[in-house]
Amino acid sequence: QQQVKQSPQSLIVQKGGISIINCAYENTAFDYFPWYQQFPGKGPALLIAIRPDVSEKKEGRFTISFNKSAKQFSLHIMDSQPGDSATYFCAASMDTGRRALTFGSGTRLQVQP
Amino acid sequence: DTAVSQTPKYLVTQMGNDKSIKCEQNLGHDTMYWYKQDSKKFLKIMFSYNNKELIINETVPNRFSPKSPDKAHLNLHINSLELGDSAVYFCASSHNNNEQFFGPGTRLTVL
C-alpha cells in the first residue's frame, strides 16, 4: 500500500519557469510533510517542510501548498534554475511516536538552460 | 565536520557473504534510522533507534540486524547477502522533531 503518492515521475522545465510537484497521502495521522532534494550520488537533503496548521509555507524560491481536506500537498519551485535539477521526494510522518518518514516515489526534475 | 557519516561508501561482495555498514552522527541527536533506496530510487524505512532502543523494525528479513552501541552510532549487519539486497542504504538522524538528516549513503552491490 503506497501511502504517499507523488506525481509526475519526471518533469522538464525551462530556466526561469515554475516547477510543480504534487503529492497525496492516505494516512490522516500524518502531521509533518517535508520535501527532500537528492542529487546523484548524495543523500536526501531537507528542503522545506510544513505542518497541517498552515496552508502554505515559503522559503526563498520554494513554496509548499497544503490542502488538509483533500489530503494533498505540493512543492512549487519559482524561477527554476539548472542547479535545481535533481530528484525531489515528498514525505510524511507523525509528530509523535513513529517518526519514520514515508516517502513518495520521487520526481526527477530537469531544468533546461 | 560531517553531520551524518557512513562507511563504506561502496561495498561490492559475493552472495552469501556477511557485511556491515557503519553510521555515525555528531549532531547530538537521539534517534537514528536506516533507510533502503532501491534501483527505482524508492526510499523505505528499515529500522529506527531511539536512545539505543529499537523502536521501528519494518518487514525486513532477519538477516538484517541493526546495532546501536551508543546514541551517536547505528550499524547495520547483513548476513547471507542476496542479490536483492543490492541497493543504497542511508542512515539518518533526528532529535525531538521530525527533521531528519541523511548520510551520504552506502551503495551495496551483491554479485
Side-chain angles (χ1 to χ4, degrees), chain A residues 36 51 94-95 98 101, chain B residues 35 37 58 96 98 100:
Chain A
Y36 279 82
R51 287 190 161 83
M94 301 172 206
D95 208 9
R98 177 190 169 91
L101 293 166
Chain B
Y35 288 86
Q37 187 170 46
E58 289 296 294
N96 284 343
N98 304 82
Q100 293 187 22

Side-chain angles (χ1 to χ4, degrees), chain A residues 20-48:
Chain A
I20 302 174
I21 305 170
N22 300 300
C23 282
Y25 63 97
E26 298 171 6
N27 189 343
T28 54
F30 288 146
D31 51 14
Y32 174 74
F33 303 90
W35 285 89
Y36 279 82
Q37 179 189 56
Q38 186 179 29
F39 292 105
K42 304 292 185 184
L46 180 63
L47 198 59
I48 186 173

Side-chain angles (χ1 to χ4, degrees), chain B residues 57-68:
Chain B
N57 182 352
E58 289 296 294
T59 309
V60 176
N62 291 338
R63 300 182 293 103
F64 290 79
S65 54
K67 281 191 172 61
S68 181

